[in-house]
Amino acid sequence: MVTDFQKLVWAKLEEIPQGRITSYKELARAVGKSRAVRAVGSACASNPNLIEVPCHRVVRSDGKVGSYRGGYKTKIALLEKEGISIDQNGCVANFSNCFHHFDS
DNA sequence: CGATTGACCGCTA
DNA sequence: TTAGCGGCCAATC
């Protein structure tokens, strides 16, 4: 089932330009629920369009890439393909540099 | 319809 | 400074 909340989250994801990333917290704030970070995760976890929707551009606010529906390594591979560098600790190298902030 | 889980965040020890 | 616990919102079983 596709709810309005999910569509809202996915819509925000598409606003992220290529080579940029965002965090679940920022994404939650963008949809008007800054405390619903876990809900955003659930919404993306149920995302049927892993390629169509750039859900791999979403990372944790502490700098780590977090997890991914299609697998941890797959997320890293996609991010590197977008130009994002990931270190051995599973953290985004250019985190602050490539971070995308929403208007809201 | 009620309970549990999950791609998390922030505070406390 | 690092590790652990509780809380939050939605989706899924």
Side-chain angles (χ1 to χ4, degrees), chain A residues 16 19-22 83-85 92 94-101:
Chain A
I16 306 172
R20 288 295 155 93
I21 58 177
T22 191
I84 311 292
S85 301
V92 181
N94 311 325
F95 183 66
S96 302
N97 204 19
C98 307
F99 200 86
H100 176 75
H101 289 274

Side-chain angles (χ1 to χ4, degrees), chain A residues 45-67:
Chain A
S46 59
N47 175 21
N49 310 304
L50 278 176
I51 306 103
E52 297 179 36
V53 180
C55 46
H56 55 273
R57 292 179 191 160
V58 187
V59 299
R60 286 170 52 157
S61 59
D62 60 358
K64 291 183 186 144
V65 296
S67 188

